[in-house]
């Protein structure tokens, strides 16, 4: 058999780029959970497209079920890595970049929780709400831990420099505000008034726990790019990550502000609820405007990268979730302000999101089949 023929045939063999199938487990990293974030946010965005949303809801529901399976698979693989290769898995905490992706785990779970509300209630009834509530508290705990422990490692163990900084610094911090926005979607579905106000208050705390820190990182990121220009092409998609905390921050203010009047009135705080609603609308609109600036900037940066040619890696999932959450915030502004403009913009963004999901998903599937995407940099860099 010639070398060329062998090369072609090996392309049909799964995990052909790995020395052994168990390397898939040994080399598995949290980066993969970014795929559940992108898939989950697309599922949530599709039913919100004006006019055709109801027709797209079954597609979104299928994606939600697929995302659950995907999350379970990744959780199983990552759990197996800790069981089988725990001494190597622990090295993630000392790695400057891979450790940041731990934040993708609670954010991926958050999209599944939101899907329980968007699709699960119609499919399984209100009995799924308590399940979503329990999962949300688990998500809150993970998000709080990521938001403080990973920065603590940055301050005590990691070696960072301004020129080497990228937007992946945002990942562990943003998880809390994603949980906060999810709490805003969950609170109205809870039947217990006490549970409602606890969820609402916790969600506001999560928003404050995350957004100011994220915006501090964004300020440093702008300085870094002004002084040291764009990061390496392998981090091309990271320019979109900054859109995540902006879009999620806007969405959080909008949904929490919408919840506040009814929930707080039930506890004798009607005036506070009205103020919270007004703040939510104004803050959501202002953050959306900031996000529009970053969306334009990220688009220009992406065009520059792609013209030069960018090799694919799992970081490409960074093109999806930030765009998706900004899209959902856009739809929410449209329904809140009753302005068709936001519905049109949201529809255009959804088309772009779906196209990017298809592209990145196809490349991920091909890379996973060959096995070349299973790479753990923390193994190659002993701590």
């Amino acid at each position: 058999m010639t070398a060329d023929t062998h090369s072609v045939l090996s392309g049909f063999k799964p995990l052909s780029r790995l020395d052994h199938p168990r390397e898939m487990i040994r080399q598995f990293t949290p980066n993969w959970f970014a795929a559940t974030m992108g898939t989950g946010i697309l599922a949530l965005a599709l039913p919100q497209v004006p006019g055709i949303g109801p027709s797209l809801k079954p597609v979104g529901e299928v994606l939600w079920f697929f995302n659950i399976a995907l999350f379970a698979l990744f959780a199983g693989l990552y759990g197996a890595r800790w069981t089988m290769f725990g001494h190597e898995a622990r090295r993630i905490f000392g790695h400057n970049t891979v450790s940041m992706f731990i934040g993708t785990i609670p954010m991926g779970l958050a999209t599944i929780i939101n899907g329980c509300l968007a699709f699960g209630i119609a499919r399984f009834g209100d009995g799924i709400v308590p399940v979503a509530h329990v999962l949300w508290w688990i998500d809150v705990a993970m998000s709080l831990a990521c938001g403080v422990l990973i920065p603590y490692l940055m301050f005590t163990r990691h070696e960072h420099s301004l020129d080497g900084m990228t937007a992946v610094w945002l990942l562990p911090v943003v998880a809390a505000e994603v949980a906060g926005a999810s709490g805003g979607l969950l609170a109205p579905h809870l039947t217990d008034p006490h549970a409602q106000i606890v969820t609402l208050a916790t969600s506001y705390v999560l928003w404050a726990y995350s957004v100011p820190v994220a915006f501090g990182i964004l300020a440093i990121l702008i300085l870094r790019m002004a002084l040291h220009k764009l990061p390496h092409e392998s981090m091309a998609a990271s320019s979109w990550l900054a859109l995540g905390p902006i879009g999620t921050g806007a969405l959080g203010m909008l949904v929490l502000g919408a919840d506040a009047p009814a929930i707080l009135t039930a506890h004798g705080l009607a005036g506070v609820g009205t103020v919270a609603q007004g703040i939510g609308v104004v803050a959501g609109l202002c953050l959306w405007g900031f996000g529009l600036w970053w969306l334009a900037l990220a688009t220009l940066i992406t065009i520059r990268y792609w013209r030069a040619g960018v090799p694919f890696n799992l970081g490409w999932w960074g093109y999806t979730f930030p765009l998706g959450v900004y899209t959902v915030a856009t739809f929410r502004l449209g329904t809140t302000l009753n302005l068709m403009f936001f519905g049109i913009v949201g529809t255009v963004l959804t088309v772009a999101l779906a196209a990017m999901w298809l592209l990145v998903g196809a490349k991920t599937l091909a890379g996973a089949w060959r096995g070349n995407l299973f790479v753990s940099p923390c193994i190659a860099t002993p701590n």
Side-chain angles (χ1 to χ4, degrees), residues 283-299:
L285 189 57
C286 290
L287 288 172
W288 189 88
F290 181 30
L292 184 62
W293 178 83
W294 205 286
L295 175 66
L297 182 66
T299 301

Side-chain angles (χ1 to χ4, degrees), residues 36-37 103-112 139 143 171-172 174-175 178 321:
T36 66
M37 295 169 60
T104 63
I105 300 176
M107 287 191 280
L109 179 59
T111 65
I112 294 174
D139 193 67
S143 299
L171 291 175
V174 175
V178 173
F321 183 80

Side-chain angles (χ1 to χ4, degrees), residues 42-64 118-119 331 346-347 350-351 354:
L42 176 61
L44 296 169
L46 289 176
Q48 300 184 50
V49 177
I52 61 173
S55 300
L56 294 175
K57 187 173 182 179
V59 180
E61 185 176 1
V62 170
L63 284 174
W64 175 59
F119 309 109
F331 284 136
T347 301
T350 302
V351 172

Side-chain angles (χ1 to χ4, degrees), residues 94-120:
H95 196 276
N96 294 0
T97 301
V98 184
S99 59
M100 304 297 164
F101 285 88
I102 294 176
T104 63
I105 300 176
M107 287 191 280
L109 179 59
T111 65
I112 294 174
I113 296 168
N114 295 339
C116 290
L117 308 175
F119 309 109

Side-chain angles (χ1 to χ4, degrees), residues 32-220:
W32 286 88
F33 285 91
T36 66
M37 295 169 60
T39 303
I41 199 63
L42 176 61
L44 296 169
L46 289 176
Q48 300 184 50
V49 177
I52 61 173
S55 300
L56 294 175
K57 187 173 182 179
V59 180
E61 185 176 1
V62 170
L63 284 174
W64 175 59
F65 280 118
F66 173 67
N67 203 37
I68 293 173
L70 206 60
F71 190 92
L73 172 63
F74 292 166
L77 288 171
Y78 197 45
R81 185 188 183 193
W82 276 91
T83 301
M84 298 170 61
F85 306 100
H87 63 292
E88 292 181 335
R90 284 191 291 272
R91 294 182 184 177
I92 188 174
F93 299 116
H95 196 276
N96 294 0
T97 301
V98 184
S99 59
M100 304 297 164
F101 285 88
I102 294 176
T104 63
I105 300 176
M107 287 191 280
L109 179 59
T111 65
I112 294 174
I113 296 168
N114 295 339
C116 290
L117 308 175
F119 309 109
I121 294 176
R123 175 64 60 180
F124 304 109
D126 292 334
I128 200 171
V129 174
V131 176
H133 195 199
V134 171
L135 289 175
W136 181 73
W137 279 112
I138 295 172
D139 193 67
V140 168
M142 289 194 296
S143 299
L144 289 173
C146 286
V148 71
L149 294 180
I150 301 303
Y152 175 76
L153 292 175
M154 293 175 67
F155 303 158
T156 58
R157 291 185 59 183
H158 298 171
E159 295 292 336
H160 293 281
S161 61
L162 184 61
D163 64 322
M165 177 202 185
T166 66
V168 296
W169 284 19
L170 291 163
L171 291 175
V173 172
V174 175
E177 68 175 284
V178 173
S182 300
L185 296 171
L186 174 63
H189 294 278
L190 302 174
T191 56
D192 180 13
H194 178 70
Q196 285 185 332
I197 195 169
V198 168
T199 301
L200 180 70
T202 302
S203 297
Y204 270 113
V205 170
L206 290 166
W207 191 95
Y209 186 91
S210 171
V211 173
V213 181
F215 274 54
I217 294 174
L218 288 179
I220 300 172

